[in-house]
Amino acid sequence: MNNSPIGIFDSGIGGITIFNSIKKLLPNEDIIYFSDNLNSPYGNKPIETIKKISFNNTQWLLDNGCKLIVVACNTATTNSISDLRNKFNIPFVGIEPAIKPAAMKTKTGKIGVLATKGTLSSDLFNTTSIDYASNIEILEKNGDGLVELIENGIFEGIEIENLLHKHLDFMINKKIDHLVLGCTHYPFLIKVLSELLPSSIKIIDSGEAVAKQTKSLLINNKIENKSNQGKYSFYYNGDSASLNKVLNHKFEIKRI
Ligand code: DGL
């Protein structure tokens, strides 16, 4: 079991932001990454569809020998992780918008959350908001259109800027001081975001926290790989261009 790979899935390249954090923190671990870009985007799909997709992706990673699954997608995590944990007897790490750290640090009492419709409407997101941020104002917006552009390899330029203005201007005007990136695709926009947002707004994303959580689950379950040089396999089921782009064409990617 210790030598088995970690499995990661997302609706495309978003989870590569998580893969990069895990690879850095856990260099001994083998990783299988599955870009389910045929089903992208997940964000506007009905909850039952998101659950079914998450089950299928998990099953595929388990069939390929994975010892732990990282659901590198806020939409899939917030809508399906409790069902996944009930169905599969294996450790799961999920990702959800980092409301708690933002709520603890805000000085203006206002934080912004940019995420998919599926994440913002999920029970898990709403429970977390009540539990950790009931004394502050959360300004939330679904990032309609962003995932599609990112999946097409577009991370900057006028289309991205216009969409970001459309989604974020109202929260900037209301003086948020933290913007939580609630979708694993959005860290690809950090360069544009940091130019576009006032310097008083801090951008929060959860990549490192997910890597740390992965490490502690491996240790707690005694399944960490201590003596290996990590090997990485990448699979996709749609188009290959954006995955190759974010991997700088350095890895072989396979279509399934
Ligand atoms: N990367 C995903 C997330 O974190 C999914 C985006 C989508 O497919 O709509 O929510």
Side-chain angles (χ1 to χ4, degrees), residues 10-11 40-43 73-75 116 119 147 182-185:
D10 178 47
S11 63
S40 183
Y42 292 172
C73 171
N74 293 260
T75 313
T116 67
T119 295
V147 168
C183 169
T184 52
H185 282 73

Side-chain angles (χ1 to χ4, degrees), residues 70-231:
V70 179
V71 182
C73 171
N74 293 260
T75 313
T77 299
T78 53
N79 288 287
S80 68
I81 200 150
S82 56
D83 288 28
L84 292 175
R85 287 191 171 118
N86 285 338
K87 182 167 166 88
F88 298 100
N89 186 20
I90 186 168
F92 282 91
V93 180
I95 179 163
E96 55 180 306
I99 296 172
K100 189 179 168 189
M104 281 162 66
K105 287 182 200 148
T106 179
K107 299 243 175 347
T108 60
K110 291 174 187 171
I111 65 168
V113 179
L114 186 65
T116 67
K117 184 172 163 230
T119 295
L120 295 173
S121 61
S122 68
D123 288 346
L124 186 58
F125 175 77
N126 287 298
T127 320
T128 308
S129 307
I130 292 164
D131 288 350
Y132 297 110
S134 54
N135 53 341
I136 62 149
E137 192 178 346
I138 300 182
L139 296 138
E140 53 184 65
K141 178 70 181 71
N142 82 63
D144 264 352
L146 290 172
V147 168
E148 289 88 335
L149 287 175
I150 295 165
E151 278 300 313
N152 280 311
I154 300 167
F155 305 159
E156 56 191 349
I158 195 70
E159 261 181 301
I160 290 275
E161 284 167 31
N162 285 344
L163 264 184
L164 287 173
H165 274 298
K166 184 174 154 215
H167 293 327
L168 301 177
D169 280 356
F170 82 101
M171 46 177 105
I172 298 171
N173 292 338
K174 287 209 164 181
K175 303 272 182 277
I176 58 161
D177 59 0
H178 288 77
L179 175 66
V180 176
L181 302 185
C183 169
T184 52
H185 282 73
Y186 301 161
F188 289 116
L189 306 181
I190 281 180
K191 185 170 165 279
V192 177
L193 277 168
S194 44
E195 286 160 11
L196 185 140
L197 294 171
S199 56
S200 55
I201 300 179
K202 195 169 170 345
I203 299 167
I204 311 246
D205 97 90
S206 324
E208 271 180 44
V210 171
K212 284 184 187 154
Q213 174 65 4
T214 305
K215 184 175 181 175
S216 49
L217 271 190
L218 291 174
I219 293 171
N220 292 346
N221 287 280
K222 299 191 173 41
I223 51 171
E224 75 267 44
N225 199 334
K226 291 182 180 150
S227 58
N228 176 52
Q229 169 68 49
K231 293 178 283 304

